[in-house]
Amino acid sequence: MIAEFGHFALILALGVALVQAAIPLVGAQRGWSNWMAVAAPSAVVQCGLLLAAFLALTWSFVTSDFSVQLVAMNSHSAKPMLYKITGVWGNHEGSMLLWVLILALFGATVGLWGGALPPGLKARALSVQAMIGVAFLLFILFTSNPFLRLDTPPLDGNDLNPLLQDPGLAFHPPFLYLGYVGLSMAFSFAVAALIEGRVDAAWARWVRPWTLAAWMFLTIGIALGSWWAYYELGWGGWWFWDPVENASFMPWLIAAALLHSAIVVEKRDTLKSWTILLAIMAFSFSLIGTFIVRSGVITSVHAFANDPERGTFILAILAVAIGGSLMLFALRAGDLRSGAMFSTISRESGLVMNNLLLTVSTLVVFIGTIWPLLLEIATGNKVSVGPPFFNLAFTPFMVALAVILPPAAMLPWKRGQIGRVMQPLWGVLALSVALGALIWALQTGRSMLAPVGIALALWVVLGALTDIAQRVKLGRAGWRESLRRAGNLPRADWGKMVAHAGFGLTMFGISAITAWEVEDIRIVDTGQSFTVAGYELRFDGVEAVQGPNYSAEIGSFTLLDGKREPVLRPEKRFYPVQQMPTTEAAINYGITRDVYVVLGDSQGAGRWAVRTYIKPFANWIWAGSIVMALGGILSLTDRRYRIGHAAGRKLRGAAVPAE
């Protein structure tokens, strides 16, 4: 009965979504307050019903109800409880249910805590949000029903893909979906503003928190996925330009551009059309990512489905959502013009340049991702676009972004002087160049990647700190006055500094690990010691171990550093139900390096193939991502995002009940 209850809740949620999509929109057009008021409770009820459906599916997984087809295909009675729960979204149908639940959750949040929003904008935005929900609920019910029963249940299930049975992958999809789907709220506000024909500073202030939250969740989700690939797959890499990795990276780049563009709308009442277009593009790339993952057009460790029927359905949703919103944008773009003027040297111009670099870099990633697919459709020829293309085509835009970031962030609004802005930055620039030159001198004969990348990283980090130092008059006023100014600075300014510094830290980690990584592949005897890049390890042997739903061969390597001598235990696992082996790397983490060991195949007589990496500053990549996310959290706490109720009351008075 639990599965039938979940199925029924899905059908009811579709009915509520249809009501939410139609009645508030008509009420907003007619100015009927009681029809508009339907939006908020409908959003809450829809979220409640979808939560009930999700909990019903979770219960089926937890109790190993193999009469439910999805459970039989993606679970096993011997699987640890954590992976029984995460198996709910470790498949196509369950992940789509999580997708629409998060969509409804964002709508319910606006319904519950959006009381200060103008009633017309709120009703239209929740109506658009519900339209997206209707489309995906129809998709789930007609092509991806997670509650189908089996006439003859098996004694046990097929188990979950072993690569997904990992703590990093347990939390990676929910964070990624919170980011992916969270951008739907910015999209809904953008379409609502186009329908209403008004975009102003207040609209930008309403849309920024939702975009910021989505960007923050995307940052965490992408970082978790990258970290999982680093330690789980045994390849020693952290980013592979996989099409599905790109599918999450593109919305992240556009969301970052949208955040900066919305600042200009809020502060200077200009770039309205550009900001609306970015809001549409951000969610459009999320939909494109959904299509890539679930259409079967690519083969990837990340891909969920390969059913062309599902892909066609999603493609239709994508065409209506993107095509309809862009058509509405074309019709309304003329109404969004602004007479605000600004100089070439100004913060507005700096933010425009920032947006252009982020947008063009997104298009580069998009072309590299989609071109092989288009070429295969057109000619039947298969081509591979890999890291060399992306590194060569994408990197220059990130370099340019890093170069302009510190001065652009410090420019005044409307008109500025580059010499005046650079005055406190000359010392930072000199120090950054000097560090780059020192690194180049110390690593004679190696590539320029590390010197240039690390110099740019220091430039970005110290530039962000200099910006705050200038704002609080550090060194130019007494320490009490500087503390007072620091306390009075808006939290969004502190968040900006932290996020920019996190970007610099990630750049540092990427540059260091790419330029200085050392790889060693060899065959070693039990008891033998060997040295890699100055680090000595001793191979102590391999033991067989039985896990809860797998068997494993676990190697033992002692890192002979003369101090604690930690033991690294890489594994080769075999999952009998899925008949699939996996590799579990062993990593000795450090601030300045990781010692990374992968156990290969047995060569007989106690000899094993071993791959060892020394990865300098690898953890700085994810530390920078965490710092960026913390910057987003800090900005979200800014009191300026709490919309005043006076404006809401004033606008609410214009609506009347329907007769």
Side-chain angles (χ1 to χ4, degrees):
M1 282 298 294
I2 295 295
E4 285 70 26
F5 170 78
H7 190 190
F8 185 59
L10 268 183
I11 296 171
L12 287 179
L14 174 61
V16 174
L18 286 167
V19 170
Q20 182 185 334
I23 292 179
L25 187 62
V26 173
Q29 292 301 106
R30 298 293 184 89
W32 295 341
S33 59
N34 50 349
W35 282 44
M36 287 189 281
V38 170
S42 297
V44 174
V45 170
Q46 184 195 161
C47 182
L49 288 167
L50 287 170
L51 178 61
F54 186 79
L55 291 176
L57 185 61
T58 303
W59 180 259
S60 298
F61 270 85
V62 168
T63 58
S64 296
D65 183 359
F66 297 121
S67 67
V68 177
Q69 180 178 295
L70 192 67
V71 180
M73 292 174 62
N74 295 279
S75 192
H76 191 273
S77 58
K79 191 167 63 173
M81 181 57 68
L82 173 63
Y83 303 130
K84 287 185 179 181
I85 295 172
T86 59
V88 176
W89 55 79
N91 56 82
H92 168 71
E93 291 84 355
S95 66
M96 283 308 306
L97 182 56
L98 178 63
W99 204 101
V100 292
L101 172 61
I102 292 173
L103 183 79
L105 177 63
F106 273 90
T109 305
V110 171
L112 289 172
W113 288 286
L117 287 165
L121 179 64
K122 180 179 178 181
R124 290 184 177 96
L126 288 177
S127 178
V128 174
Q129 192 80 353
M131 291 177 191
I132 302 168
V134 167
F136 279 96
L137 282 168
L138 287 172
F139 172 72
I140 290 174
L141 288 168
F142 285 107
T143 73
S144 310
N145 186 354
F147 296 106
L148 294 177
R149 290 280 193 183
L150 292 172
D151 293 332
T152 306
L155 293 176
D156 219 323
N158 292 334
D159 207 357
L160 181 67
N161 184 338
L163 289 175
L164 304 182
Q165 296 187 40
D166 178 85
L169 258 289
F171 303 104
H172 162 65
F175 276 107
L176 208 58
Y177 288 176
L178 282 166
Y180 258 155
V181 186
L183 290 172
S184 66
M185 207 66 249
F187 174 85
S188 296
F189 274 115
V191 173
L194 288 173
I195 295 172
E196 194 172 286
R198 187 179 69 181
V199 177
D200 53 19
W203 175 88
R205 197 175 299 117
W206 289 317
V207 83
R208 275 183 67 194
W210 302 104
T211 307
L212 186 58
W215 176 86
M216 180 192 69
F217 285 127
L218 261 179
T219 302
I220 297 171
I222 292 171
L224 281 173
S226 171
W227 183 51
W228 167 79
Y230 175 69
Y231 71 80
E232 171 67 19
L233 298 179
W235 303 338
W238 53 275
W239 192 261
F240 304 97
W241 294 108
D242 180 282
V244 182
E245 289 177 331
N246 296 347
S248 61
F249 190 43
M250 290 184 287
W252 184 87
L253 290 168
I254 292 292
L258 173 58
L259 280 173
H260 291 86
S261 187
I263 295 171
V264 183
V265 178
E266 181 182 350
K267 299 293 186 182
R268 296 282 294 132
D269 197 33
T270 190
L271 297 187
K272 296 178 183 179
S273 296
W274 180 242
T275 305
I276 290 288
L277 183 59
L278 284 174
I280 293 171
M281 288 174 62
F283 185 58
S284 297
F285 275 111
S286 292
L287 291 177
I288 290 170
T290 302
F291 172 73
I292 288 174
V293 174
R294 300 170 194 282
S295 62
V297 297
I298 57 100
T299 301
S300 165
V301 68
H302 305 83
F304 271 120
N306 55 8
D307 186 348
E309 180 186 351
R310 291 170 174 170
T312 303
F313 202 121
I314 295 176
L315 191 61
I317 295 173
L318 194 145
V320 172
I322 299 176
S325 58
L326 289 178
M327 185 179 297
L328 184 59
F329 174 77
L331 293 172
R332 291 288 196 178
D335 301 330
L336 304 178
R337 292 175 183 166
S338 172
M341 304 293 291
F342 53 87
S343 168
T344 305
I345 306 299
S346 63
R347 184 173 296 189
E348 293 95 325
S349 294
L351 289 170
V352 168
M353 183 60 68
N354 170 285
N355 282 354
L356 288 174
L357 290 170
L358 287 169
T359 304
V360 174
S361 62
T362 304
L363 293 177
V364 167
V365 177
F366 177 69
I367 291 169
T369 303
I370 210 74
W371 176 250
L373 307 177
L374 296 177
L375 189 65
E376 184 176 354
I377 292 170
T379 67
N381 297 325
K382 292 188 176 183
V383 298
S384 177
V385 176
F389 165 81
F390 289 106
N391 292 338
L392 184 63
F394 179 80
T395 303
F397 296 104
M398 291 299 101
V399 170
L401 183 64
V403 169
I404 71 166
L405 199 56
M410 295 176 65
L411 280 167
W413 294 105
K414 197 172 182 179
R415 184 178 293 107
Q417 296 178 345
I418 192 66
R420 190 170 183 178
V421 171
M422 283 298 299
Q423 188 174 354
L425 288 171
W426 287 121
V428 172
L429 180 60
L431 182 59
S432 302
V433 171
L435 178 63
L438 176 63
I439 292 171
W440 177 74
L442 292 175
Q443 59 151 46
T444 304
R446 304 184 72 170
S447 75
M448 287 294 293
L449 176 62
V452 172
I454 292 171
L456 285 172
L458 186 65
W459 165 247
V460 171
V461 173
L462 293 183
L465 295 174
T466 301
D467 185 14
I468 288 291
Q470 289 294 111
R471 298 285 300 277
V472 303
K473 293 189 174 182
L474 188 65
R476 294 179 292 134
W479 66 271
R480 291 181 184 275
E481 174 63 14
S482 293
L483 282 177
R484 186 190 67 80
R485 285 176 169 271
N488 290 336
L489 273 183
R491 290 182 186 174
D493 290 351
W494 285 105
K496 178 186 76 171
M497 182 272 289
V498 172
H500 286 184
F503 176 63
L505 292 176
T506 297
M507 284 186 65
F508 172 80
I510 291 171
S511 301
I513 193 174
T514 305
W516 296 332
E517 178 183 82
V518 176
E519 179 182 7
D520 178 88
I521 303 175
R522 66 175 69 207
I523 295 173
V524 294
D525 292 305
T526 301
Q528 178 183 346
S529 296
F530 59 97
T531 302
V532 181
Y535 291 89
E536 185 179 2
L537 295 104
R538 185 183 66 236
F539 176 45
D540 298 322
V542 174
E543 63 176 323
V545 175
Q546 184 63 45
N549 61 334
Y550 62 85
S551 57
E553 294 173 316
I554 303 179
S556 180
F557 294 80
T558 301
L559 180 59
L560 303 172
D561 62 357
K563 299 176 184 176
R564 295 176 292 107
E565 297 195 349
V567 176
L568 286 75
R569 296 175 63 80
E571 300 182 36
K572 288 176 64 68
R573 292 181 179 179
F574 181 75
Y575 290 79
V577 176
Q578 289 263 326
Q579 290 292 298
M580 181 175 174
T582 66
T583 299
E584 305 284 328
I587 307 173
N588 178 252
Y589 295 99
I591 296 175
T592 61
R593 90 308 177 256
D594 284 354
V595 178
Y596 186 111
V597 180
V598 181
L599 185 67
D601 295 327
S602 173
Q603 306 299 307
R607 305 172 76 235
W608 289 75
V610 176
R611 241 180 326 143
T612 309
Y613 300 90
I614 307 301
K615 295 181 173 291
F617 300 99
N619 291 304
W620 289 58
I621 297 172
W622 301 291
S625 300
I626 293 170
V627 172
M628 279 192 277
L630 289 175
I633 294 172
L634 194 57
S635 294
L636 277 174
T637 63
D638 195 313
R639 60 184 177 81
R640 291 176 299 176
Y641 289 141
R642 300 166 196 163
I643 312 300
H645 289 273
R649 286 195 298 269
K650 181 179 177 181
L651 287 163
R652 271 192 288 269
V656 297
E659 296 295 337

